[in-house]
Amino acid sequence: MPRVQEHPEHPEGGRKYGAYQIEIYRDGILHNRLPTVTCDSNKLEEQAKKFLGARSFNYVAGGAGERATMDANRLAFRQWKMIPRMLRPTTHRDLRVELFGQTFESPLLIAPVGVQTIFHHDKETGMAEIASQIGLPYILSTAASSSIEEVAKANGDGARWFQLYWPQENEITKSLINSALTAQLLHRAKSNGYKVLIVTLDTWALAWRPADLDNAYLPFASGIGDQIGFSDPVFRAKFAAKHDNKTPEDDIFLASREWEADVFSGAAHTWEELELIKQAWDGPIVLKGIQHVEDAKKAVEMGIQGIVVSNHGGRQLDGAIGSLEVLPEIVEAVGDKLTVLFDSGVRTGVDVIKALCLGAKGVLIGR
């Protein structure tokens, strides 16, 4: 893990990320021990394919349609070039950033990635624990294979945010966010220490994803990635009332279909409905999936505290603009009025630098 270094401008210390490179060389030279995971970002996908089953790999690596949006994301990064300057006072680098009143050691955030149990048995709880150890905010997906409470426990004193796939059923939405309905939910998202709400706007219906369709694979259909719904008392009560007091565990396939119908209903929400979210959540709200300047301006008009310039990593709309391409004009339009975060297409540290240079305050890293 990166070590802490002291310097006058950052007396409490900062992680010495560069030490990791020295550790790799040292372990190889002295102990003949090579990195478990490749250091070449272009080889990560190939390496993952060797260890994951075909369905798991296709789910995490696939995109919408012919993956044109995924290509656009990478092209956008490659079109921006770095121009280095020399003999500058860069010995002590302070990567700290303040987001929604909290200071973090770096501008990186762990993006909300669902169904992590199909990638590794540690699933979201393992990732949340590591995020806490290295000082990064962890964003829990609604499509998690761990519950809100399990992730909060694993994350400990770490910073954690909650990502909402916005159900059409408003009663369930209130329950997921800040329970005024049942005692069980009183200690869920807000009471379990999730400080920021990320509302994903671009996934009210699942996209046409050929890699999943060719295997007829949808993890949610077998209950994988439905844990937050299945552990929700409002959803459980609704399911029991409709199906002779059955629990989701009694009929996972049926329960999965009903949860999917709520979360991925195929019916879009409206800007006016954001008032429901604002009434139920008294912390910062961030809208994820903004790709147009006018939508960014509308977020400001609605009193929203932040946005994520994102196209869902190319998983939702084929043929869309690369997120980085639109970032500068969105920042220019609203960057002084709300917090602009970024994701989609990020592969390297240089990519992160480019997004920050173009105005993002933080960068989400995920698949």
Side-chain angles (χ1 to χ4, degrees):
M1 185 182 302
R3 295 185 177 87
V4 173
Q5 65 175 343
E6 299 284 347
H7 64 74
E9 297 176 8
H10 194 175
E12 67 273 29
R15 295 178 189 273
K16 197 172 182 181
Y17 294 100
Y20 181 52
Q21 177 176 311
I22 302 302
E23 290 177 10
I24 291 174
Y25 284 127
R26 184 193 61 206
D27 288 348
I29 294 169
L30 299 181
H31 307 293
N32 198 31
R33 188 165 55 230
L34 301 180
T36 302
V37 177
T38 178
C39 298
D40 185 342
S41 61
N42 291 321
K43 294 180 180 178
L44 283 170
E45 189 169 312
E46 176 187 346
Q47 188 176 41
K49 195 171 186 177
K50 293 179 181 178
F51 291 93
L52 293 176
R55 295 193 302 179
S56 295
F57 174 80
N58 287 333
Y59 181 83
V60 71
E66 64 167 351
R67 296 167 46 122
T69 305
M70 296 178 73
D71 292 341
N73 283 334
R74 292 307 300 147
L75 180 61
F77 275 104
R78 288 177 175 144
Q79 287 177 329
W80 284 96
K81 311 298 182 184
M82 304 292 292
I83 305 177
R85 299 293 303 276
M86 300 298 120
L87 298 176
R88 298 282 174 161
T90 56
T91 301
H92 301 302
R93 295 169 295 280
D94 188 351
L95 301 179
R96 289 176 298 176
V97 61
E98 183 177 321
L99 299 173
F100 307 112
Q102 187 170 358
T103 299
F104 300 104
E105 294 184 33
S106 88
L108 299 179
L109 304 91
I110 303 297
V113 177
V115 294
Q116 291 186 27
T117 192
I118 69 173
F119 316 135
H120 195 278
H121 57 80
D122 283 348
K123 52 185 181 176
E124 292 84 3
T125 49
M127 183 66 75
E129 181 179 357
I130 293 297
S132 178
Q133 290 177 9
I134 62 177
L136 300 185
Y138 178 78
I139 306 173
L140 175 64
S141 169
T142 299
S145 38
S146 304
S147 72
I148 291 172
E149 295 79 6
E150 289 169 340
V151 168
K153 182 178 180 181
N155 190 239
D157 294 331
R160 49 189 174 272
W161 302 0
F162 182 63
Q163 177 269 334
L164 179 70
Y165 282 129
W166 192 355
Q168 274 294 328
E169 175 55 65
N170 288 339
E171 185 182 15
I172 294 177
T173 301
K174 290 178 182 177
S175 173
L176 282 172
I177 296 172
N178 186 4
S179 175
L181 302 174
T182 64
Q184 293 95 325
L185 283 179
L186 189 62
H187 298 288
R188 291 206 92 184
K190 280 305 292 284
S191 297
N192 275 280
Y194 296 82
K195 302 298 185 184
V196 177
L197 179 66
I198 307 281
V199 183
T200 296
L201 304 181
D202 59 14
T203 316
W204 43 271
L206 291 177
W208 182 267
R209 300 176 183 172
D212 293 331
L213 290 164
D214 285 349
N215 287 294
Y217 180 62
L218 186 65
F220 312 112
S222 57
I224 302 172
D226 298 332
Q227 184 56 35
I228 287 179
F230 286 4
S231 62
D232 184 80
V234 172
F235 177 77
R236 295 179 72 88
K238 178 184 174 184
F239 187 78
K242 189 175 179 180
H243 301 291
D244 299 323
N245 289 321
K246 281 186 176 182
T247 67
E249 293 75 21
D250 292 330
D251 194 331
I252 289 177
F253 180 71
L254 180 59
S256 298
R257 288 180 59 191
E258 298 210 357
W259 177 243
E260 291 167 42
D262 281 322
V263 178
F264 307 119
S265 65
H269 287 282
T270 66
W271 285 100
E272 289 70 27
E273 288 179 275
L274 280 173
E275 290 299 331
L276 171 68
I277 301 291
K278 292 170 63 178
Q279 291 167 17
W281 184 268
D282 61 2
I285 297 172
V286 178
L287 302 183
K288 183 174 182 287
I290 300 297
Q291 292 274 274
H292 197 289
V293 170
E294 293 304 315
D295 286 342
K297 291 179 179 178
K298 187 67 175 179
V300 172
E301 181 184 324
M302 294 296 297
I304 299 301
Q305 289 74 36
I307 59 175
V308 184
V309 177
S310 166
N311 55 36
H312 216 102
R315 291 171 66 79
Q316 277 302 105
L317 176 62
D318 196 26
I321 191 171
S323 284
L324 194 75
E325 190 173 343
V326 74
L327 176 62
E329 56 185 298
I330 288 179
V331 170
E332 183 178 1
V334 302
D336 60 341
K337 302 177 180 67
L338 47 65
T339 298
V340 179
L341 305 176
F342 177 85
D343 82 7
S344 298
V346 178
R347 297 291 182 273
T348 69
V350 170
D351 292 342
V352 173
I353 292 171
K354 290 178 180 180
L356 295 174
C357 288
L358 293 175
K361 298 299 183 184
V363 177
L364 283 62
I365 53 174
R367 299 179 306 116

